[in-house]
Short mmCIF file of all heavy atoms in Angstrom, two decimals:
data_model
loop_
_atom_site.label_atom_id
_atom_site.label_comp_id
_atom_site.label_asym_id
_atom_site.label_seq_id
_atom_site.Cartn_x
_atom_site.Cartn_y
_atom_site.Cartn_z
N ILE O 1 0.83 -1.21 0.00
CA ILE O 1 0.03 0.01 -0.02
C ILE O 1 0.88 1.29 0.02
O ILE O 1 0.57 2.21 -0.66
CB ILE O 1 -0.94 -0.01 1.23
CG1 ILE O 1 -2.04 -1.08 1.02
CG2 ILE O 1 -1.60 1.38 1.43
CD1 ILE O 1 -2.94 -1.30 2.24
N ASN O 2 1.97 1.23 0.80
CA ASN O 2 2.85 2.36 0.83
C ASN O 2 3.55 2.61 -0.53
O ASN O 2 3.66 3.75 -0.99
CB ASN O 2 3.92 2.24 1.91
CG ASN O 2 3.45 2.66 3.25
OD1 ASN O 2 2.99 3.78 3.38
ND2 ASN O 2 3.57 1.81 4.24
N LEU O 3 3.91 1.56 -1.20
CA LEU O 3 4.53 1.70 -2.50
C LEU O 3 3.52 2.19 -3.54
O LEU O 3 3.84 2.99 -4.42
CB LEU O 3 5.10 0.31 -2.98
CG LEU O 3 6.42 -0.12 -2.29
CD1 LEU O 3 6.74 -1.57 -2.64
CD2 LEU O 3 7.53 0.86 -2.63
N LYS O 4 2.29 1.75 -3.41
CA LYS O 4 1.24 2.26 -4.34
C LYS O 4 0.94 3.67 -4.14
O LYS O 4 0.75 4.45 -5.12
CB LYS O 4 -0.01 1.42 -4.19
CG LYS O 4 -1.17 1.71 -5.18
CD LYS O 4 -2.33 0.84 -5.09
CE LYS O 4 -3.42 1.20 -5.99
NZ LYS O 4 -3.02 1.12 -7.41
N ALA O 5 0.95 4.08 -2.85
CA ALA O 5 0.55 5.46 -2.51
C ALA O 5 1.65 6.45 -2.77
O ALA O 5 1.43 7.56 -3.23
CB ALA O 5 0.12 5.52 -1.05
N PHE O 6 2.93 6.04 -2.51
CA PHE O 6 4.06 7.00 -2.51
C PHE O 6 5.03 6.69 -3.66
O PHE O 6 5.95 7.49 -3.85
CB PHE O 6 4.75 7.01 -1.18
CG PHE O 6 3.89 7.40 -0.03
CD1 PHE O 6 3.43 6.41 0.84
CD2 PHE O 6 3.47 8.69 0.13
CE1 PHE O 6 2.61 6.75 1.92
CE2 PHE O 6 2.66 9.08 1.25
CZ PHE O 6 2.23 8.07 2.12
N GLY O 7 4.85 5.59 -4.34
CA GLY O 7 5.76 5.30 -5.48
C GLY O 7 7.04 4.62 -5.03
O GLY O 7 7.25 4.28 -3.82
N ALA O 8 7.95 4.42 -6.00
CA ALA O 8 9.20 3.74 -5.68
C ALA O 8 10.02 4.49 -4.68
O ALA O 8 10.02 5.72 -4.63
CB ALA O 8 10.00 3.56 -6.96
N MET O 9 10.72 3.71 -3.84
CA MET O 9 11.61 4.37 -2.83
C MET O 9 12.72 3.37 -2.43
O MET O 9 12.62 2.16 -2.76
CB MET O 9 10.76 4.77 -1.60
CG MET O 9 10.12 3.62 -0.86
SD MET O 9 9.03 4.18 0.47
CE MET O 9 7.53 4.70 -0.42
N SER O 10 13.66 3.85 -1.66
CA SER O 10 14.73 2.98 -1.21
C SER O 10 14.20 1.99 -0.19
O SER O 10 13.16 2.18 0.43
CB SER O 10 15.90 3.80 -0.67
OG SER O 10 15.56 4.32 0.61
N LYS O 11 14.95 0.97 0.08
CA LYS O 11 14.58 -0.04 1.00
C LYS O 11 14.39 0.64 2.44
O LYS O 11 13.40 0.38 3.13
CB LYS O 11 15.60 -1.16 1.12
CG LYS O 11 15.62 -2.11 -0.05
CD LYS O 11 16.60 -3.21 0.15
CE LYS O 11 16.63 -4.19 -1.03
NZ LYS O 11 17.60 -5.29 -0.83
N MET O 12 15.41 1.40 2.83
CA MET O 12 15.34 2.08 4.13
C MET O 12 14.17 3.07 4.23
O MET O 12 13.56 3.19 5.31
CB MET O 12 16.64 2.71 4.49
CG MET O 12 17.74 1.76 4.89
SD MET O 12 17.24 0.51 6.12
CE MET O 12 16.72 1.55 7.50
N GLU O 13 13.87 3.79 3.18
CA GLU O 13 12.75 4.70 3.21
C GLU O 13 11.43 3.89 3.43
O GLU O 13 10.61 4.35 4.20
CB GLU O 13 12.66 5.46 1.86
CG GLU O 13 13.68 6.53 1.69
CD GLU O 13 13.64 7.14 0.36
OE1 GLU O 13 13.28 6.48 -0.65
OE2 GLU O 13 13.94 8.36 0.20
N LEU O 14 11.34 2.80 2.76
CA LEU O 14 10.12 1.93 2.93
C LEU O 14 10.00 1.39 4.37
O LEU O 14 8.96 1.42 4.96
CB LEU O 14 10.13 0.80 1.94
CG LEU O 14 8.88 -0.11 1.91
CD1 LEU O 14 7.63 0.66 1.72
CD2 LEU O 14 9.07 -1.18 0.77
N ILE O 15 11.11 0.91 4.85
CA ILE O 15 11.15 0.41 6.25
C ILE O 15 10.84 1.49 7.25
O ILE O 15 10.03 1.28 8.19
CB ILE O 15 12.54 -0.19 6.54
CG1 ILE O 15 12.76 -1.48 5.74
CG2 ILE O 15 12.68 -0.52 8.04
CD1 ILE O 15 14.12 -2.09 5.73
N LYS O 16 11.42 2.66 7.16
CA LYS O 16 11.21 3.77 8.07
C LYS O 16 9.75 4.30 8.03
O LYS O 16 9.23 4.77 8.98
CB LYS O 16 12.16 4.91 7.82
CG LYS O 16 13.61 4.57 8.34
CD LYS O 16 14.53 5.75 8.20
CE LYS O 16 15.88 5.51 8.87
NZ LYS O 16 15.77 5.33 10.33
N LYS O 17 9.17 4.17 6.79
CA LYS O 17 7.78 4.69 6.64
C LYS O 17 6.82 3.81 7.43
O LYS O 17 5.73 4.23 7.83
CB LYS O 17 7.41 4.68 5.12
CG LYS O 17 6.15 5.47 4.82
CD LYS O 17 5.98 5.70 3.34
CE LYS O 17 6.87 6.84 2.91
NZ LYS O 17 6.43 8.21 3.46
N ASN O 18 7.30 2.58 7.70
CA ASN O 18 6.45 1.63 8.51
C ASN O 18 6.95 1.60 9.99
O ASN O 18 6.47 0.71 10.72
CB ASN O 18 6.48 0.28 7.89
CG ASN O 18 5.67 0.27 6.59
OD1 ASN O 18 4.47 0.15 6.58
ND2 ASN O 18 6.36 0.35 5.45
N ILE O 19 7.86 2.44 10.33
CA ILE O 19 8.36 2.48 11.74
C ILE O 19 8.79 1.10 12.21
O ILE O 19 8.30 0.57 13.20
CB ILE O 19 7.33 3.11 12.72
CG1 ILE O 19 6.64 4.30 12.08
CG2 ILE O 19 7.96 3.46 14.04
CD1 ILE O 19 7.54 5.46 11.83
N GLN O 20 9.73 0.49 11.43
CA GLN O 20 10.18 -0.83 11.82
C GLN O 20 11.76 -0.81 11.85
O GLN O 20 12.39 0.03 11.32
CB GLN O 20 9.77 -1.85 10.78
CG GLN O 20 8.25 -2.20 10.91
CD GLN O 20 7.87 -3.38 10.07
OE1 GLN O 20 8.10 -3.39 8.88
NE2 GLN O 20 7.27 -4.40 10.65
N GLU O 21 12.27 -1.83 12.54
CA GLU O 21 13.70 -2.01 12.61
C GLU O 21 14.19 -2.64 11.28
O GLU O 21 13.41 -3.33 10.57
CB GLU O 21 14.07 -2.96 13.76
CG GLU O 21 13.71 -2.46 15.16
CD GLU O 21 14.46 -1.20 15.49
OE1 GLU O 21 15.65 -1.09 15.07
OE2 GLU O 21 13.94 -0.37 16.22
N LYS O 22 15.45 -2.38 10.94
CA LYS O 22 15.93 -2.80 9.62
C LYS O 22 15.85 -4.30 9.43
O LYS O 22 15.41 -4.76 8.34
CB LYS O 22 17.40 -2.35 9.47
CG LYS O 22 17.99 -2.69 8.10
CD LYS O 22 19.36 -2.17 7.95
CE LYS O 22 19.97 -2.57 6.61
NZ LYS O 22 21.39 -2.03 6.43
N PRO O 23 16.25 -5.14 10.39
CA PRO O 23 16.21 -6.59 10.14
C PRO O 23 14.77 -7.08 9.83
O PRO O 23 14.57 -7.88 8.86
CB PRO O 23 16.67 -7.21 11.51
CG PRO O 23 17.53 -6.17 12.07
CD PRO O 23 16.89 -4.87 11.70
N ALA O 24 13.78 -6.64 10.56
CA ALA O 24 12.37 -7.02 10.33
C ALA O 24 11.87 -6.51 8.96
O ALA O 24 11.22 -7.25 8.24
CB ALA O 24 11.47 -6.53 11.44
N GLY O 25 12.24 -5.28 8.66
CA GLY O 25 11.84 -4.72 7.38
C GLY O 25 12.49 -5.40 6.17
O GLY O 25 11.81 -5.67 5.19
N MET O 26 13.73 -5.74 6.33
CA MET O 26 14.43 -6.44 5.22
C MET O 26 13.83 -7.85 5.00
O MET O 26 13.72 -8.29 3.87
CB MET O 26 15.92 -6.59 5.53
CG MET O 26 16.69 -5.24 5.53
SD MET O 26 16.59 -4.42 3.89
CE MET O 26 17.46 -5.61 2.85
N GLN O 27 13.40 -8.47 6.05
CA GLN O 27 12.76 -9.79 5.94
C GLN O 27 11.44 -9.68 5.15
O GLN O 27 11.18 -10.52 4.28
CB GLN O 27 12.45 -10.35 7.32
CG GLN O 27 11.97 -11.81 7.34
CD GLN O 27 11.82 -12.32 8.75
OE1 GLN O 27 11.56 -11.57 9.68
NE2 GLN O 27 11.92 -13.67 8.87
N ILE O 28 10.66 -8.63 5.41
CA ILE O 28 9.42 -8.44 4.66
C ILE O 28 9.73 -8.14 3.21
O ILE O 28 9.08 -8.67 2.28
CB ILE O 28 8.63 -7.25 5.30
CG1 ILE O 28 8.21 -7.61 6.72
CG2 ILE O 28 7.41 -6.96 4.47
CD1 ILE O 28 7.78 -6.45 7.54
N ILE O 29 10.70 -7.27 2.97
CA ILE O 29 11.02 -6.88 1.59
C ILE O 29 11.50 -8.08 0.81
O ILE O 29 11.07 -8.33 -0.36
CB ILE O 29 12.10 -5.73 1.57
CG1 ILE O 29 11.46 -4.44 2.02
CG2 ILE O 29 12.75 -5.61 0.18
CD1 ILE O 29 12.49 -3.36 2.27
#
């Protein structure tokens, strides 16, 4: 949903937009 709403972004931008730690965010990505 974030990618659809805000368009392409870096991995860390996407993780921070969801207020998550890097390891958990990278697992999702």
Side-chain angles (χ1 to χ4, degrees):
I1 288 172
N2 274 308
L3 285 172
K4 184 175 178 62
F6 301 104
M9 63 184 79
S10 72
K11 289 182 178 182
M12 285 311 300
E13 285 174 330
L14 183 55
I15 291 170
K16 285 186 174 295
K17 196 165 281 291
N18 289 280
I19 317 296
Q20 285 189 305
E21 298 295 327
K22 183 177 179 180
M26 291 301 296
Q27 188 176 27
I28 296 164
I29 288 172

